[in-house]
Amino acid sequence: MGISQEELAGRAGLHRTYVCDVERGARNLSLQSIEKLARALEISIAALFNYETSADSTGTPPFTGQGLVDILFVEDDPLDAKMAMTALSAITNRVQLVRDGESALDFLFCRGAFARRQPSHRPQLILLDLELPKMGGLEVLHSVKSDPRTATIPVVVLTGSERQRDVQASKRLGAADYILKPVDMLNLTRVVPTVNYQWALLKPPPPEQRA
């Protein structure tokens, strides 16, 4: 909505560091804080949680997302996959992990092992490793962006090093952004403004981790 953390904190009567902690998933919200944030944004609590997409009095929907974001995560390295899935487990978004480029396209186009998937249930975000077996990440990206059924899905590429050649090639093919591995919540939240998505509510931590 184009509102800075400082401005939102001032509107809501909250400290800026509190708002910052909320955005990066380091703090659980109280009901009182939820109400303050909703009032500050001039939306309902339901809209704050992204459960409704009806237009406001100006005719503009409060959010562009539609419910939870389904994520397709394409990564073959077991350690990188485990670390990223640990980060993704902090959010309630549904994540589908596949291990190679061919499986990624099979999932997207409902073929092979995913032939029974509903074609209309496409992910709204793809996290794509560039170094993949069977079919490389750049080839997968080209296939995604050249097909009208999937061309509008934002793709964030994952790379082990900031190699400008790979980054530039990804951008030319239509990637929305890139993340340096390993994937963590800090990296994920950095690309949120670029792909224009709101993450779902955080799961509560296990009892032994609560303050």
Side-chain angles (χ1 to χ4, degrees):
M1 299 178 73
I3 301 173
S4 67
Q5 288 180 345
E6 186 173 2
E7 182 180 359
L8 179 58
R11 290 187 188 184
L14 299 170
H15 199 280
R16 182 183 177 279
T17 55
Y18 181 91
V19 174
C20 179
D21 287 345
V22 169
E23 285 199 334
R24 65 188 181 89
R27 186 184 294 269
N28 288 326
L29 282 164
S30 67
L31 180 59
Q32 184 179 29
S33 295
I34 291 170
E35 292 173 341
K36 287 181 177 180
L37 288 169
R39 286 198 301 269
L41 294 168
E42 298 180 346
I43 59 176
S44 68
I45 292 177
L48 179 63
F49 289 164
N50 208 20
Y51 287 160
E52 67 180 29
T53 56
S54 58
D56 59 20
S57 58
T58 66
T60 303
F63 291 115
T64 58
Q66 295 182 352
L68 293 182
V69 174
D70 287 328
I71 301 171
L72 175 60
F73 177 34
V74 192
E75 172 63 75
D76 70 304
D77 185 277
L79 181 59
D80 286 341
K82 181 179 180 180
M83 294 177 67
M85 291 301 290
T86 298
L88 291 168
S89 70
I91 57 178
T92 59
N93 307 74
R94 293 168 293 194
V95 180
Q96 173 68 47
L97 172 64
V98 296
R99 302 286 186 173
D100 60 74
E102 288 185 0
S103 296
L105 296 183
D106 285 348
F107 179 84
L108 288 168
F109 299 117
C110 303
R111 63 196 189 195
F114 302 101
R116 295 188 177 183
R117 253 182 26 87
Q118 291 295 322
S120 59
H121 295 169
R122 302 196 188 281
Q124 281 77 56
L125 178 65
I126 300 173
L127 300 177
L128 177 65
D129 184 28
L130 290 182
E131 302 295 330
L132 295 171
K134 298 185 179 181
M135 181 182 294
L138 291 178
E139 189 176 352
V140 173
L141 178 59
H142 177 267
S143 297
V144 170
K145 291 302 178 181
S146 62
D147 193 298
R149 295 171 294 177
T150 55
T152 59
I153 302 175
V155 179
V156 175
V157 299
L158 313 177
T159 178
S161 62
E162 201 165 3
R163 293 181 294 188
Q164 286 303 310
R165 184 176 63 180
D166 290 342
V167 171
Q168 293 302 320
S170 299
K171 290 183 177 180
R172 284 196 301 270
L173 290 172
D177 210 329
Y178 73 96
I179 289 177
L180 290 177
K181 296 195 294 183
V183 176
D184 56 24
M185 282 305 295
L186 180 61
N187 285 333
L188 287 171
T189 54
R190 181 184 66 81
V191 304
V192 171
T194 302
V195 299
N196 197 27
Y197 278 117
Q198 298 81 38
W199 299 105
L201 292 176
L202 293 174
K203 293 179 180 177
E208 63 271 13
Q209 295 182 14
R210 294 178 186 171

